[in-house]
Amino acid sequence: MKIPTETETVERNLPPVPLSSEQIMDLFHNASTQELICQANRVCRQVHGKDVLLRGLIEFTNFCTNDCLYCGIRRGNQRVTRYRMTEAMILSTVQKGYQRGIRSFVLQGGEDRNFTTDRICRLVKTIKSQGCHDAAITLSCGIRCREDYVKMRDAGADRYLLRFETADPVLHRLLRENSLEDRLKALEDIRAAGFQVGSGFMLGLPGESKETRLKNILLCQRLELDMIGLGPFIPHPDTPLKHASQHPLEHTIRSVALVRLALPQAHIPATTAAGSLVPDGREQTIAAGANVLMPNLTPMEFKQNYLLYPGKVCLREKGIQDITRLHHRMKPLNRNLSFARGDALGYPLTNMDKGDGK
Ligand code: 5AD
C-alpha cells in the first residue's frame, strides 16, 4: 500500500470538521482505500500535527476470569503460564519509563479478581506519589461496578480503556458470553466517573459482516470516544477460534481512516496487532490517521506470557530501549515521537490542574 507524501496529504487551513454518520456511510461504501488514507492523514495532521504520542504499556496480570473465544489468555487456556506482577515491579517499570521521559502509562491486565479495586487504587496512588505525579495513568482492567470507577478516578487514575470488541450484539454474546449492552453500560459508568474514555474493536472476527464493520465505526462516533483502539483479530492456536481465517490488514486501515474522519480529535493508536500482522503495519496505520504508539514496557519474563494473539511483535522489541528505533521508523512518515501526556483534546481539567495529582 502506498504511503502518501507530504504534499499529497497536508493542506493546512481547512478546518477538520467531523464527518456526519451519513458521510461516513457513503465513504465506507464508495471510497477507495487510498482516498480514505489521504483524507484521514490530512485531518490527523491538521489536528495533531506531526506528533505521535507515546503510551507505555504494562501488562501487569494475565489471570482472567473471562473466557472470550478469541483471546489467548482466556480462562480456559490451560497452556498459559499465569503471572501477576507485584506492586513493586509495576512501580519500578513505570519509574523506568518515566526516567526515559514517558508521561503516559497504560496498566492493562486480564479481569483478575486478585487485583481488587482497592488494590488498584493503592497502586495508582503509589505511582503518583513516588515521583510520577505528572504522568497520566490509564487503567484497562475490565468491567467493574459503577462505584469502583469513581474510586479509581478519585485515586488519581486519568483514563480508562474498555474495548466493546464488536458492535454486533449477537456476535458479541457468542464470542464473549456477555452482552454488548453491559459493556456499553460500563462505558457510560466510566464516562460518568470523569475518566477520559477509550474503547474500540477488532477487525476480522469470524461471523463479522461488512455491516458490522460499519456499525463499529458508527458506534465509536456515537460514544464520542476520546481514545479508540482497533486492530486485526489474529487467531490464537490455543483458542476455539484457532482455525478462523486471517483477514487482510486493509480492513483495519480503512476503519482507522474512517474513525479518524468521524472523530478528528480522538487519540488513535497504531496497534501492536497491526505491527504483528505485517512488518510495517504500525507505519501503515499511522499513515492512515493514527497518532499514538504504545511501546510495551512489560518486563520480558512476563510479556512472553501475555499472548492475546500469536506472533506479537513486541516480544522481539526491548520496550524502552526501542524508543529510539520507533523514532527512526516514524521519520519517513515525517512524524516525531512526543513524550507529552497527550490528554483528550478539549478535555477541560487534568488531575494536575485540579491539584489532586499527588
Ligand atoms: N487478536 C487480536 N486482538 C485481540 N485481542 C484479544 N484477543 C485478540 C486476538 N486474538 C484484543 C481485544 C482486547 C485487547 C486488549 O486485545 O480487543 O480488548
Side-chain angles (χ1 to χ4, degrees):
M1 202 172 294
K2 186 171 152 277
I3 290 172
T5 63
E6 184 83 343
T7 42
E8 277 174 320
T9 55
V10 182
E11 291 167 33
R12 295 215 167 261
N13 309 321
L14 283 179
V17 182
L19 297 191
S20 67
S21 45
E22 289 73 26
Q23 289 171 309
I24 293 292
M25 267 186 250
D26 178 44
L27 286 177
F28 178 88
H29 289 296
N30 301 315
S32 72
T33 302
Q34 202 56 45
E35 266 174 76
L36 292 179
I37 291 173
C38 286
Q39 286 196 38
N41 192 40
R42 193 190 69 225
V43 166
C44 185
R45 289 293 299 273
Q46 283 172 348
V47 180
H48 302 276
K50 283 188 179 185
D51 286 352
V52 173
L53 295 165
L54 287 174
R55 320 282 202 206
L57 177 66
I58 299 159
E59 297 153 333
F60 65 94
T61 171
N62 71 352
F63 281 86
C64 194
T65 52
N66 284 344
D67 218 17
C68 306
L69 299 188
Y70 47 78
C71 184
I73 62 164
R74 64 199 297 267
R75 185 183 70 228
N77 185 1
Q78 311 278 345
R79 305 180 90 159
V80 178
T81 306
R82 303 284 168 176
Y83 71 86
R84 283 185 188 105
M85 287 174 70
T86 63
E87 273 78 355
M89 286 169 179
I90 300 171
L91 177 64
S92 88
T93 308
V94 171
Q95 285 172 332
K96 274 188 212 140
Y98 189 91
Q99 279 156 21
R100 181 65 179 80
I102 296 184
R103 292 292 179 272
S104 170
F105 296 91
V106 179
L107 304 185
Q108 186 181 89
E111 299 212 5
D112 181 357
R113 295 220 177 94
N114 199 277
F115 274 96
T116 60
T117 296
D118 286 342
R119 195 173 165 194
I120 300 264
C121 289
R122 280 197 300 276
L123 177 62
V124 170
K125 282 185 185 159
T126 307
I127 292 171
K128 292 239 167 170
S129 63
Q130 302 281 315
C132 305
H133 65 286
D134 58 341
I137 297 183
T138 303
L139 297 175
S140 177
C141 47
I143 291 200
R144 308 219 163 198
C145 65
R146 181 176 255 260
E147 301 76 52
D148 286 1
Y149 301 126
V150 176
K151 280 191 197 169
M152 293 190 280
R153 178 76 185 113
D154 287 347
D158 303 271
R159 311 173 185 152
Y160 206 97
L161 297 181
L162 188 78
R163 286 191 180 179
F164 57 76
E165 311 295 5
T166 174
D168 176 336
V170 177
L171 187 58
H172 190 103
R173 181 170 283 286
L174 209 75
L175 296 174
R176 309 200 59 255
E177 299 176 332
N178 290 304
S179 72
L180 175 63
E181 206 185 334
D182 284 354
R183 207 118 176 119
L184 297 181
K185 169 75 176 55
L187 284 166
E188 252 176 51
D189 292 345
I190 291 165
R191 173 79 75 192
F195 279 111
Q196 298 171 42
V197 184
S199 189
F201 55 91
M202 281 174 282
L203 271 304
L205 289 167
E208 166 189 304
S209 64
K210 199 172 169 192
E211 205 50 37
T212 315
R213 291 197 283 278
L214 176 59
K215 275 194 198 160
N216 287 335
I217 298 161
L218 297 178
L219 182 53
C220 289
Q221 187 175 42
R222 183 158 69 78
L223 295 171
E224 300 179 17
L225 298 170
D226 302 307
M227 302 167 285
I228 302 155
L230 56 112
F233 160 64
I234 305 176
H236 189 295
D238 301 325
T239 62
L241 300 184
K242 60 182 166 205
H243 297 306
S245 58
Q246 178 67 67
H247 287 222
L249 187 66
E250 186 165 359
H251 288 161
T252 298
I253 297 293
R254 290 183 67 89
S255 298
V256 166
L258 285 161
V259 163
R260 167 59 66 214
L261 295 171
L263 292 138
Q265 302 217 317
H267 291 305
I268 305 176
T271 58
T272 306
S276 303
L277 189 58
V278 299
D280 69 342
R282 281 173 297 183
E283 284 88 339
Q284 286 194 43
T285 315
I286 295 281
N291 71 316
V292 175
L293 280 171
M294 297 177 65
N296 191 320
L297 309 186
T298 315
M300 206 50 104
E301 73 228 74
F302 300 119
K303 73 164 120 166
Q304 59 183 321
N305 293 318
Y306 199 88
L307 295 185
L308 310 182
Y309 48 85
K312 224 173 143 187
V313 70
C314 63
L315 297 188
R316 296 189 290 274
E317 297 175 348
K318 290 188 215 77
I320 201 130
Q321 292 103 316
D322 241 61
I323 289 174
T324 317
R325 226 175 59 192
L326 283 181
H327 176 74
H328 289 305
R329 294 181 75 152
M330 289 300 110
K331 276 277 155 227
L333 299 172
N334 195 18
R335 294 293 211 283
N336 298 323
L337 294 186
S338 162
F339 287 85
R341 274 169 60 104
D343 281 292
L345 298 184
Y347 221 74
L349 290 178
T350 66
N351 273 351
M352 291 284 298
D353 300 327
K354 288 200 301 181
D356 61 352
K358 289 151 229 143

